[in-house]
PDB file of all heavy atoms in Angstrom:
ATOM      1  N   MET T 227       8.307  13.056  -8.312  1.00 33.00           N
ATOM      2  CA  MET T 227       7.242  12.106  -7.976  1.00 33.00           C
ATOM      3  C   MET T 227       6.005  12.865  -7.511  1.00 33.00           C
ATOM      4  O   MET T 227       6.111  13.848  -6.784  1.00 33.00           O
ATOM      5  CB  MET T 227       7.715  11.157  -6.854  1.00 33.00           C
ATOM      6  CG  MET T 227       6.664  10.149  -6.408  1.00 33.00           C
ATOM      7  SD  MET T 227       7.274   9.108  -5.053  1.00 33.00           S
ATOM      8  CE  MET T 227       8.577   8.226  -5.895  1.00 33.00           C
ATOM      9  N   ALA T 228       4.844  12.407  -7.912  1.00 38.00           N
ATOM     10  CA  ALA T 228       3.596  13.019  -7.480  1.00 38.00           C
ATOM     11  C   ALA T 228       3.426  12.852  -5.975  1.00 38.00           C
ATOM     12  O   ALA T 228       4.032  11.984  -5.349  1.00 38.00           O
ATOM     13  CB  ALA T 228       2.421  12.370  -8.212  1.00 38.00           C
ATOM     14  N   ASP T 229       2.587  13.697  -5.392  1.00 50.00           N
ATOM     15  CA  ASP T 229       2.315  13.634  -3.964  1.00 50.00           C
ATOM     16  C   ASP T 229       1.440  12.423  -3.681  1.00 50.00           C
ATOM     17  O   ASP T 229       0.222  12.472  -3.814  1.00 50.00           O
ATOM     18  CB  ASP T 229       1.614  14.918  -3.512  1.00 50.00           C
ATOM     19  CG  ASP T 229       1.350  14.931  -2.017  1.00 50.00           C
ATOM     20  OD1 ASP T 229       1.688  13.938  -1.348  1.00 50.00           O
ATOM     21  OD2 ASP T 229       0.815  15.933  -1.539  1.00 50.00           O
ATOM     22  N   LEU T 230       2.067  11.323  -3.294  1.00 46.00           N
ATOM     23  CA  LEU T 230       1.312  10.100  -3.068  1.00 46.00           C
ATOM     24  C   LEU T 230       0.461  10.176  -1.808  1.00 46.00           C
ATOM     25  O   LEU T 230      -0.376   9.330  -1.580  1.00 46.00           O
ATOM     26  CB  LEU T 230       2.260   8.898  -3.009  1.00 46.00           C
ATOM     27  CG  LEU T 230       3.031   8.642  -4.310  1.00 46.00           C
ATOM     28  CD1 LEU T 230       3.932   7.441  -4.162  1.00 46.00           C
ATOM     29  CD2 LEU T 230       2.091   8.456  -5.478  1.00 46.00           C
ATOM     30  N   GLY T 231       0.704  11.172  -0.988  1.00 51.00           N
ATOM     31  CA  GLY T 231      -0.204  11.410   0.120  1.00 51.00           C
ATOM     32  C   GLY T 231      -1.593  11.771  -0.363  1.00 51.00           C
ATOM     33  O   GLY T 231      -2.559  11.695   0.379  1.00 51.00           O
ATOM     34  N   GLU T 232      -1.701  12.184  -1.626  1.00 49.00           N
ATOM     35  CA  GLU T 232      -3.000  12.491  -2.209  1.00 49.00           C
ATOM     36  C   GLU T 232      -3.619  11.293  -2.920  1.00 49.00           C
ATOM     37  O   GLU T 232      -4.585  11.423  -3.658  1.00 49.00           O
ATOM     38  CB  GLU T 232      -2.873  13.660  -3.184  1.00 49.00           C
ATOM     39  CG  GLU T 232      -2.460  14.952  -2.506  1.00 49.00           C
ATOM     40  CD  GLU T 232      -3.422  15.364  -1.420  1.00 49.00           C
ATOM     41  OE1 GLU T 232      -4.639  15.240  -1.618  1.00 49.00           O
ATOM     42  OE2 GLU T 232      -2.952  15.795  -0.363  1.00 49.00           O
ATOM     43  N   ALA T 233      -3.005  10.104  -2.716  1.00 51.00           N
ATOM     44  CA  ALA T 233      -3.589   8.832  -3.166  1.00 51.00           C
ATOM     45  C   ALA T 233      -3.558   8.628  -4.670  1.00 51.00           C
ATOM     46  O   ALA T 233      -4.337   7.875  -5.217  1.00 51.00           O
ATOM     47  CB  ALA T 233      -5.023   8.682  -2.647  1.00 51.00           C
ATOM     48  N   LEU T 234      -2.658   9.346  -5.375  1.00 63.00           N
ATOM     49  CA  LEU T 234      -2.473   9.028  -6.778  1.00 63.00           C
ATOM     50  C   LEU T 234      -1.876   7.642  -6.888  1.00 63.00           C
ATOM     51  O   LEU T 234      -1.225   7.151  -5.972  1.00 63.00           O
ATOM     52  CB  LEU T 234      -1.557  10.061  -7.428  1.00 63.00           C
ATOM     53  CG  LEU T 234      -2.064  11.503  -7.401  1.00 63.00           C
ATOM     54  CD1 LEU T 234      -1.034  12.416  -8.033  1.00 63.00           C
ATOM     55  CD2 LEU T 234      -3.394  11.628  -8.112  1.00 63.00           C
ATOM     56  N   ALA T 235      -2.072   6.980  -8.022  1.00 77.00           N
ATOM     57  CA  ALA T 235      -1.609   5.606  -8.166  1.00 77.00           C
ATOM     58  C   ALA T 235      -0.094   5.547  -8.066  1.00 77.00           C
ATOM     59  O   ALA T 235       0.614   6.185  -8.852  1.00 77.00           O
ATOM     60  CB  ALA T 235      -2.081   5.036  -9.490  1.00 77.00           C
ATOM     61  N   PRO T 236       0.435   4.789  -7.119  1.00 96.00           N
ATOM     62  CA  PRO T 236       1.879   4.642  -7.001  1.00 96.00           C
ATOM     63  C   PRO T 236       2.403   3.644  -8.021  1.00 96.00           C
ATOM     64  O   PRO T 236       1.642   2.882  -8.628  1.00 96.00           O
ATOM     65  CB  PRO T 236       2.047   4.096  -5.579  1.00 96.00           C
ATOM     66  CG  PRO T 236       0.776   3.321  -5.351  1.00 96.00           C
ATOM     67  CD  PRO T 236      -0.307   4.072  -6.085  1.00 96.00           C
ATOM     68  N   ALA T 237       3.710   3.626  -8.194  1.00 97.00           N
ATOM     69  CA  ALA T 237       4.328   2.630  -9.071  1.00 97.00           C
ATOM     70  C   ALA T 237       4.533   1.310  -8.345  1.00 97.00           C
ATOM     71  O   ALA T 237       4.308   0.237  -8.910  1.00 97.00           O
ATOM     72  CB  ALA T 237       5.654   3.146  -9.601  1.00 97.00           C
ATOM     73  N   ARG T 238       4.963   1.385  -7.073  1.00 98.00           N
ATOM     74  CA  ARG T 238       5.253   0.184  -6.300  1.00 98.00           C
ATOM     75  C   ARG T 238       4.731   0.346  -4.876  1.00 98.00           C
ATOM     76  O   ARG T 238       4.885   1.418  -4.271  1.00 98.00           O
ATOM     77  CB  ARG T 238       6.756  -0.097  -6.262  1.00 98.00           C
ATOM     78  CG  ARG T 238       7.354  -0.512  -7.597  1.00 98.00           C
ATOM     79  CD  ARG T 238       8.861  -0.716  -7.491  1.00 98.00           C
ATOM     80  NE  ARG T 238       9.535   0.484  -7.008  1.00 98.00           N
ATOM     81  CZ  ARG T 238       9.837   1.528  -7.781  1.00 98.00           C
ATOM     82  NH1 ARG T 238       9.520   1.539  -9.069  1.00 98.00           N
ATOM     83  NH2 ARG T 238      10.439   2.589  -7.269  1.00 98.00           N
ATOM     84  N   VAL T 239       4.168  -0.740  -4.353  1.00 98.00           N
ATOM     85  CA  VAL T 239       3.626  -0.755  -2.988  1.00 98.00           C
ATOM     86  C   VAL T 239       4.072  -2.037  -2.308  1.00 98.00           C
ATOM     87  O   VAL T 239       4.066  -3.111  -2.930  1.00 98.00           O
ATOM     88  CB  VAL T 239       2.088  -0.683  -2.996  1.00 98.00           C
ATOM     89  CG1 VAL T 239       1.526  -0.815  -1.576  1.00 98.00           C
ATOM     90  CG2 VAL T 239       1.604   0.605  -3.644  1.00 98.00           C
ATOM     91  N   LEU T 240       4.437  -1.933  -1.034  1.00 98.00           N
ATOM     92  CA  LEU T 240       4.644  -3.111  -0.192  1.00 98.00           C
ATOM     93  C   LEU T 240       3.617  -3.069   0.919  1.00 98.00           C
ATOM     94  O   LEU T 240       3.588  -2.127   1.711  1.00 98.00           O
ATOM     95  CB  LEU T 240       6.054  -3.138   0.392  1.00 98.00           C
ATOM     96  CG  LEU T 240       6.340  -4.296   1.362  1.00 98.00           C
ATOM     97  CD1 LEU T 240       6.242  -5.646   0.648  1.00 98.00           C
ATOM     98  CD2 LEU T 240       7.699  -4.134   2.034  1.00 98.00           C
ATOM     99  N   ALA T 241       2.759  -4.076   0.983  1.00 98.00           N
ATOM    100  CA  ALA T 241       1.727  -4.174   2.011  1.00 98.00           C
ATOM    101  C   ALA T 241       2.138  -5.244   3.009  1.00 98.00           C
ATOM    102  O   ALA T 241       2.395  -6.389   2.639  1.00 98.00           O
ATOM    103  CB  ALA T 241       0.384  -4.522   1.390  1.00 98.00           C
ATOM    104  N   VAL T 242       2.194  -4.864   4.280  1.00 98.00           N
ATOM    105  CA  VAL T 242       2.649  -5.769   5.341  1.00 98.00           C
ATOM    106  C   VAL T 242       1.492  -6.033   6.296  1.00 98.00           C
ATOM    107  O   VAL T 242       0.757  -5.120   6.676  1.00 98.00           O
ATOM    108  CB  VAL T 242       3.831  -5.163   6.113  1.00 98.00           C
ATOM    109  CG1 VAL T 242       4.406  -6.181   7.102  1.00 98.00           C
ATOM    110  CG2 VAL T 242       4.922  -4.682   5.161  1.00 98.00           C
ATOM    111  N   ALA T 243       1.346  -7.309   6.685  1.00 98.00           N
ATOM    112  CA  ALA T 243       0.256  -7.701   7.586  1.00 98.00           C
ATOM    113  C   ALA T 243       0.760  -8.720   8.584  1.00 98.00           C
ATOM    114  O   ALA T 243       1.742  -9.433   8.336  1.00 98.00           O
ATOM    115  CB  ALA T 243      -0.906  -8.285   6.797  1.00 98.00           C
ATOM    116  N   ALA T 244       0.061  -8.813   9.699  1.00 97.00           N
ATOM    117  CA  ALA T 244       0.391  -9.826  10.697  1.00 97.00           C
ATOM    118  C   ALA T 244      -0.044 -11.209  10.242  1.00 97.00           C
ATOM    119  O   ALA T 244       0.692 -12.184  10.388  1.00 97.00           O
ATOM    120  CB  ALA T 244      -0.256  -9.479  12.032  1.00 97.00           C
ATOM    121  N   HIS T 245      -1.270 -11.299   9.694  1.00 97.00           N
ATOM    122  CA  HIS T 245      -1.862 -12.596   9.355  1.00 97.00           C
ATOM    123  C   HIS T 245      -2.387 -12.608   7.921  1.00 97.00           C
ATOM    124  O   HIS T 245      -2.736 -11.547   7.384  1.00 97.00           O
ATOM    125  CB  HIS T 245      -3.062 -12.892  10.280  1.00 97.00           C
ATOM    126  CG  HIS T 245      -2.798 -12.676  11.724  1.00 97.00           C
ATOM    127  ND1 HIS T 245      -3.321 -11.601  12.416  1.00 97.00           N
ATOM    128  CD2 HIS T 245      -2.056 -13.389  12.604  1.00 97.00           C
ATOM    129  CE1 HIS T 245      -2.917 -11.669  13.683  1.00 97.00           C
ATOM    130  NE2 HIS T 245      -2.150 -12.738  13.819  1.00 97.00           N
ATOM    131  N   PRO T 246      -2.495 -13.783   7.327  1.00 96.00           N
ATOM    132  CA  PRO T 246      -3.272 -13.890   6.096  1.00 96.00           C
ATOM    133  C   PRO T 246      -4.693 -13.371   6.368  1.00 96.00           C
ATOM    134  O   PRO T 246      -5.263 -13.698   7.411  1.00 96.00           O
ATOM    135  CB  PRO T 246      -3.278 -15.396   5.804  1.00 96.00           C
ATOM    136  CG  PRO T 246      -2.081 -15.928   6.528  1.00 96.00           C
ATOM    137  CD  PRO T 246      -1.954 -15.086   7.774  1.00 96.00           C
ATOM    138  N   ASP T 247      -5.221 -12.592   5.511  1.00 95.00           N
ATOM    139  CA  ASP T 247      -6.548 -11.946   5.470  1.00 95.00           C
ATOM    140  C   ASP T 247      -6.562 -10.531   6.024  1.00 95.00           C
ATOM    141  O   ASP T 247      -7.501  -9.770   5.781  1.00 95.00           O
ATOM    142  CB  ASP T 247      -7.685 -12.785   6.063  1.00 95.00           C
ATOM    143  CG  ASP T 247      -7.829 -12.763   7.583  1.00 95.00           C
ATOM    144  OD1 ASP T 247      -7.156 -11.991   8.287  1.00 95.00           O
ATOM    145  OD2 ASP T 247      -8.651 -13.554   8.082  1.00 95.00           O
ATOM    146  N   ASP T 248      -5.532 -10.111   6.794  1.00 97.00           N
ATOM    147  CA  ASP T 248      -5.533  -8.750   7.349  1.00 97.00           C
ATOM    148  C   ASP T 248      -5.563  -7.689   6.244  1.00 97.00           C
ATOM    149  O   ASP T 248      -6.318  -6.715   6.328  1.00 97.00           O
ATOM    150  CB  ASP T 248      -4.295  -8.522   8.217  1.00 97.00           C
ATOM    151  CG  ASP T 248      -4.330  -9.272   9.540  1.00 97.00           C
ATOM    152  OD1 ASP T 248      -5.435  -9.604  10.005  1.00 97.00           O
ATOM    153  OD2 ASP T 248      -3.249  -9.515  10.099  1.00 97.00           O
ATOM    154  N   ILE T 249      -4.738  -7.868   5.225  1.00 98.00           N
ATOM    155  CA  ILE T 249      -4.705  -6.897   4.128  1.00 98.00           C
ATOM    156  C   ILE T 249      -6.050  -6.847   3.424  1.00 98.00           C
ATOM    157  O   ILE T 249      -6.523  -5.765   3.031  1.00 98.00           O
ATOM    158  CB  ILE T 249      -3.591  -7.242   3.127  1.00 98.00           C
ATOM    159  CG1 ILE T 249      -2.209  -7.081   3.771  1.00 98.00           C
ATOM    160  CG2 ILE T 249      -3.679  -6.353   1.879  1.00 98.00           C
ATOM    161  CD1 ILE T 249      -1.070  -7.625   2.932  1.00 98.00           C
ATOM    162  N   ASP T 250      -6.684  -8.000   3.263  1.00 97.00           N
ATOM    163  CA  ASP T 250      -7.941  -8.051   2.516  1.00 97.00           C
ATOM    164  C   ASP T 250      -9.051  -7.307   3.249  1.00 97.00           C
ATOM    165  O   ASP T 250      -9.843  -6.604   2.632  1.00 97.00           O
ATOM    166  CB  ASP T 250      -8.308  -9.512   2.257  1.00 97.00           C
ATOM    167  CG  ASP T 250      -7.201 -10.203   1.485  1.00 97.00           C
ATOM    168  OD1 ASP T 250      -6.996  -9.845   0.317  1.00 97.00           O
ATOM    169  OD2 ASP T 250      -6.505 -11.056   2.062  1.00 97.00           O
TER     170      ASP T 250
END
């Protein structure tokens, strides 16, 4: 796997937030 710490496009991401709009 590429070094995703260097911000290359990942295959899968899970984004977690407290509230609607936080991620945005």
Side-chain angles (χ1 to χ4, degrees):
M227 179 182 294
D229 182 359
L230 297 180
E232 296 302 319
L234 299 178
R238 292 178 303 280
V239 175
L240 176 64
V242 187
H245 312 107
D247 81 8
D248 288 336
I249 294 170
D250 302 293

